[in-house]
Amino acid sequence: METVVNLSYPIWLLIASGFYLGSSLLMSLLNRMVYKHHAISGEKRRPYSISLGENIKFNAMNLLQIAGFIFAAFFLVRHGYSFMYQTLPQETLGWIRFILEVIVILFITDTNFYWVHRLIHENPRWYRKFHIDHHVARYPDVWVTLYQHPLEQLLTTTLPNAMIFFLPVSTWSFLVAMLIKHFSDIAGHSGHEFTGKMASLSSLNGPIHWLDPRRRWIARLVTGITHHDLHHQKVKGNYALYFTFWDRWGQTLIPATDDVFRDASRGTRPRSLKSRAAADH
């Protein structure tokens, strides 16, 4: 871990960019070739209109920010300004703590994301200024994951991650949580519901789905790919990214979400909200 902590900013920028571009390309190819029949929405997904230059600009600015945050955070660790420790667990209790740390990190970041994200949506001025660009894609794909205003990225992602460095958690559990967040964010914008498939094991909902494939207990607490896709379709609701707790408690869960999850767990193609409403009538 000492080697990781001492990495320079250009190296972190290269790592962040490589992870984002590589995993996005891989997931895009899987969706086209393997999961093409699992596109969310029974109607044909319409392409969005975003210029390549604008997309590259936002992606570049946010990758610069992500790499800068990681470098600055490990700078604090290296100079003793953080409560984080750098050892891996050696015993069973240590591994249990490790798993709990990952869950706590994800919960803290998701709590911040839900409330900031919801506040932006409920304030028309802030929505138009900081978030409307991201919602140009009503039917998103992996390439709009970082297509967002850098200030939104700062408030919803970077700052809550920074808070973690003042908690007594392992740097390893932090990195694992960041990887789960990374793949979950990309999967949430992929437009294809492959929960329960091998590719979903890299995100939070994949392993949980294998424990509870019928979404009757623990899986109901975790979002799937459809959760954020429906947020893009409807704009209002489904504000969280990783857990459903805040959306259920705040009564912002889109009603069709659980039904779409059940469709996915049965291996059927998830239907659009319009198709579902027509079938109900």
Side-chain angles (χ1 to χ4, degrees), residues 116-174:
V116 174
H117 189 200
R118 179 176 176 177
L119 185 62
I120 290 174
H121 270 272
E122 293 180 350
N123 186 305
R125 183 179 178 183
W126 292 357
Y127 178 79
R128 290 192 301 270
K129 189 172 183 63
F130 301 119
H131 195 49
I132 196 169
D133 288 328
H134 187 65
H135 274 275
V136 168
R138 182 181 180 187
Y139 298 97
D141 61 20
V142 297
W143 303 111
V144 300
T145 305
L146 288 182
Y147 184 74
Q148 57 182 304
H149 195 286
L151 182 59
E152 180 190 356
Q153 170 78 14
L154 178 70
L155 294 176
T156 61
T157 304
T158 304
L159 288 183
N161 286 340
M163 292 188 295
I164 305 302
F165 279 79
F166 297 97
L167 297 178
V169 298
S170 167
T171 47
W172 288 103
S173 61
F174 173 79

Side-chain angles (χ1 to χ4, degrees), residues 5-19:
V5 169
N6 288 308
L7 291 178
S8 66
Y9 174 70
I11 296 299
W12 277 119
L13 180 59
L14 184 64
I15 292 173
S17 302
F19 260 99

Side-chain angles (χ1 to χ4, degrees), residues 74-221:
F74 281 132
F75 176 87
L76 295 177
V77 173
R78 191 166 66 246
H79 289 84
Y81 296 111
S82 170
F83 292 106
M84 298 181 76
Y85 59 93
Q86 301 180 45
T87 57
L88 274 170
Q90 303 295 325
E91 301 175 351
T92 303
L93 287 178
W95 283 107
I96 293 175
R97 172 174 174 165
F98 181 88
I99 294 172
L100 290 176
E101 286 178 0
V102 172
I103 294 173
V104 167
I105 291 170
L106 291 173
F107 184 76
I108 289 174
T109 55
D110 197 48
T111 297
N112 177 86
F113 185 89
Y114 173 84
W115 288 107
V116 174
H117 189 200
R118 179 176 176 177
L119 185 62
I120 290 174
H121 270 272
E122 293 180 350
N123 186 305
R125 183 179 178 183
W126 292 357
Y127 178 79
R128 290 192 301 270
K129 189 172 183 63
F130 301 119
H131 195 49
I132 196 169
D133 288 328
H134 187 65
H135 274 275
V136 168
R138 182 181 180 187
Y139 298 97
D141 61 20
V142 297
W143 303 111
V144 300
T145 305
L146 288 182
Y147 184 74
Q148 57 182 304
H149 195 286
L151 182 59
E152 180 190 356
Q153 170 78 14
L154 178 70
L155 294 176
T156 61
T157 304
T158 304
L159 288 183
N161 286 340
M163 292 188 295
I164 305 302
F165 279 79
F166 297 97
L167 297 178
V169 298
S170 167
T171 47
W172 288 103
S173 61
F174 173 79
L175 287 176
V176 169
M178 293 302 100
L179 285 174
I180 292 174
K181 280 168 48 61
H182 169 79
F183 288 114
S184 296
D185 291 350
I186 293 176
H189 290 89
S190 69
H192 291 71
E193 182 57 84
F194 48 80
T195 295
K197 307 297 182 182
M198 189 62 67
S200 69
L201 292 177
S202 60
S203 60
L204 182 62
N205 66 313
I208 300 299
H209 177 84
W210 285 58
L211 292 174
D212 180 21
R214 297 186 179 182
R215 295 189 65 82
R216 290 182 174 177
W217 54 295
I218 191 171
R220 287 175 55 82
L221 302 176

